[in-house]
Amino acid sequence: MDTMSPFSKSQLIPQEEKLEIRKKRGQLFIGIPKEDFKIEKRVCLTPESVNMLVKAGHKVLIEAGAGVEASYDDKKYSEAGAVITHDKEKVFGCPILLKVEPPTIEEIRLMKPKTYLFSAIQLKTQTKEYFAALEKKKITALCYEFIKDRYNAYPFLDAISQIAGIASIQIAADYMCRMNGGKGLLFGNVAGVPPTEVVILGAGLVAESAIRTALALGVNVKVFDNNIHKLKRLQKTLPTQVFTSTIQEKVLSKALMRCDVAIGAVKGCNRSPILVTEEMVQRMKPGAVIIDVCIDNGGCFETSEVTTHEKPTITKYGVIHYGVPNITAKYSKTASLAISNIISPYLLDLSENGSIDDAVSYDNTIRSGIYMYKGILVNEAIGKWFHLNYKDINLIVL
């Protein structure tokens, strides 16, 4: 006796598997405007990366002089296959826009609707008006700081942190010179001469890079952080053992009194915690140097103030304070190479998926960096920080 079946005979016959067909490889049209050199001296793509993109069939339009401060002239970009223009509006009219600094409100007005923006965001410097301007133009914006790769690492932040850590030691060495107002001490281990003393606040990637650079120069290093796991990691990974301690006021104060250089590298959540009070700074040696790497996040030293590349230091209580927020811009070519090496492979991957919208569907790395999708805020942290409505990007992108 036949049993009843809810399926017809044709439905019971094995069917061919139907797979989603990705779109054909797309072409990118990228615009790179000139940054405000008073603030930013880096450039997103080097001529080598531009050449790689052009050979892959993409177009790159660069505003004249965009790479000058990173030691890349227009001729190098032109030889790499880019088109050079003096027309800023033409660059901002490109479908894909690459910047290092986030665009100003005036620059957003120059963009065409539905532009794809790749830039840093520097959240603490933004306002609600910035996001309203992006929303009005239905911009899809990706922020370098948010990009998270398949290894759960943040490639942009890691690269910039490494440069900032190394730079902090080199800058401190410059200001230790007598001609720059320092005590005339050399970073190094000279036979018969006591080594320079350095205190580093923090045990993250910035701090680790600073520690490694300092140790390579032969100085004595003391590290302070309240995260025991980070301190243990340092002890395991550093080439030699260093003094480590949790942040205890008496111990830290004594170390600061004896040190020649103090470096602040504790980011914190909403802002960097103030770990060194004004009174502690007053007790430091005259001519000592403070490098507050976290000044753009509030700073670790109570006496720190934001300074500029043109006037990078102030002196308080006889102690030299360096408080330039964009410390990596001082080494613009190295930073530009690092940024370009991170961005260019992502751009090539985007084209392989057909379009950016297709890439967002397939690529979690690209999706992780997007905070504004077609004018809709899709980042929870930004929404809560500015009290703005936001949506989950996974509910928008199919």
Side-chain angles (χ1 to χ4, degrees):
M1 185 175 179
D2 294 336
T3 58
M4 299 295 293
S5 172
F7 302 102
S8 65
K9 289 184 178 180
S10 61
Q11 289 175 321
L12 292 172
I13 297 174
Q15 303 291 314
E16 291 183 358
E17 184 181 9
K18 295 180 180 179
L19 299 176
E20 183 179 4
I21 300 175
R22 295 190 182 186
K23 294 184 179 180
K24 293 182 179 179
R25 188 170 174 274
Q27 184 188 51
L28 306 178
F29 189 7
I30 301 164
I32 302 177
K34 184 178 177 180
E35 304 282 349
D36 181 355
F37 289 151
K38 290 182 180 179
I39 304 170
E40 183 56 69
K41 301 180 186 299
R42 299 170 293 182
V43 66
C44 286
L45 294 179
T46 63
E48 293 78 13
S49 292
V50 168
N51 184 249
M52 182 171 61
L53 288 164
V54 170
K55 283 185 175 179
H58 307 301
K59 295 180 180 179
V60 181
L61 181 67
I62 298 179
E63 185 177 357
V68 170
E69 288 297 312
S71 301
Y72 297 118
D73 58 28
D74 293 339
K75 183 181 178 182
K76 290 180 181 177
Y77 281 112
S78 181
E79 290 173 348
V83 177
I84 310 298
T85 180
H86 290 272
D87 189 343
K88 183 180 287 289
E89 290 189 22
K90 192 173 182 180
V91 178
F92 275 96
C94 291
I96 300 173
L97 203 64
L98 297 187
K99 283 186 97 278
V100 181
E101 283 280 310
T104 62
I105 301 298
E106 290 72 23
E107 288 174 335
I108 293 174
R109 292 193 184 109
L110 294 176
M111 296 182 200
K112 290 185 177 179
K114 299 182 180 181
T115 294
Y116 294 95
L117 169 66
F118 292 69
S119 76
I121 188 173
Q122 298 175 354
L123 193 58
K124 303 298 185 295
T125 66
Q126 294 304 343
T127 62
K128 287 184 178 181
E129 288 72 25
Y130 172 81
F131 300 102
L134 294 176
E135 180 182 3
K136 186 176 181 181
K137 287 289 184 79
K138 298 187 183 302
I139 302 293
T140 295
L142 179 145
C143 150
Y144 304 138
E145 298 101 308
F146 293 164
I147 294 176
K148 188 177 183 180
D149 63 22
R150 63 178 180 272
Y151 304 108
N152 287 323
Y154 293 86
F156 178 84
L157 285 179
D158 288 353
I160 296 304
S161 296
Q162 189 176 7
I163 295 171
I166 296 170
S168 67
I169 295 297
Q170 293 187 350
I171 292 167
D174 285 340
Y175 285 102
M176 290 299 291
C177 297
R178 189 68 187 137
M179 292 172 290
N180 290 331
K183 293 187 294 183
L185 288 174
L186 177 69
F187 264 35
N189 197 348
V190 179
V193 179
T196 305
E197 298 278 344
V198 176
V199 167
I200 296 178
L201 304 174
L205 188 54
V206 174
E208 183 179 346
S209 298
I211 295 164
R212 289 181 181 277
T213 307
L215 290 175
L217 291 171
V219 305
N220 278 351
V221 179
K222 292 183 178 179
V223 184
F224 291 83
D225 196 290
N226 278 333
N227 189 318
I228 294 294
H229 296 290
K230 287 185 178 180
L231 293 176
K232 284 182 178 178
R233 182 184 60 82
L234 281 179
Q235 293 287 29
K236 290 180 181 178
T237 59
L238 291 174
T240 184
Q241 293 292 301
V242 297
F243 173 98
T244 59
S245 173
T246 53
I247 301 171
Q248 303 171 37
E249 186 176 345
K250 287 185 178 180
V251 180
L252 177 57
S253 183
K254 186 181 291 186
L256 288 169
M257 288 172 63
R258 295 176 177 176
C259 79
D260 304 297
V261 173
I263 294 173
V266 180
K267 188 176 180 181
C269 296
N270 295 328
R271 67 147 288 155
S272 295
I274 295 176
L275 303 174
V276 179
T277 64
E278 185 172 357
E279 185 180 355
M280 294 164 77
V281 173
Q282 288 176 0
R283 296 198 199 106
M284 291 178 69
K285 296 177 183 177
V289 178
I290 286 174
I291 309 291
D292 203 337
V293 183
C294 297
I295 190 66
D296 55 344
N297 205 40
C300 300
F301 298 81
E302 190 176 10
T303 50
S304 289
E305 291 183 18
V306 175
T307 58
T308 65
H309 287 289
E310 289 73 27
K311 191 178 179 182
T313 64
I314 59 171
T315 301
K316 291 184 178 181
Y317 306 112
V319 178
I320 299 169
H321 292 62
Y322 184 95
V324 178
N326 192 0
I327 194 171
T328 57
K330 186 178 176 70
Y331 304 93
S332 54
K333 186 165 186 175
T334 297
S336 296
L337 281 163
I339 294 170
S340 183
N341 289 342
I342 293 166
I343 296 174
S344 51
Y346 290 140
L347 292 172
L348 290 171
D349 287 343
L350 286 177
S351 64
E352 292 300 325
N353 283 315
S355 69
I356 295 180
D357 288 338
D358 294 326
V360 172
S361 299
Y362 294 110
D363 194 333
N364 289 330
T365 299
I366 296 298
R367 190 185 301 191
S368 69
I370 294 176
Y371 63 91
M372 185 74 72
Y373 185 71
K374 297 183 179 181
I376 301 171
L377 183 64
V378 291
N379 184 278
E380 181 180 0
I382 294 176
K384 289 182 177 179
W385 180 264
F386 290 98
H387 304 290
L388 297 170
N389 293 326
Y390 63 91
K391 293 184 179 181
D392 186 340
I393 191 171
N394 297 304
L395 301 178
I396 302 174
V397 179
L398 300 177

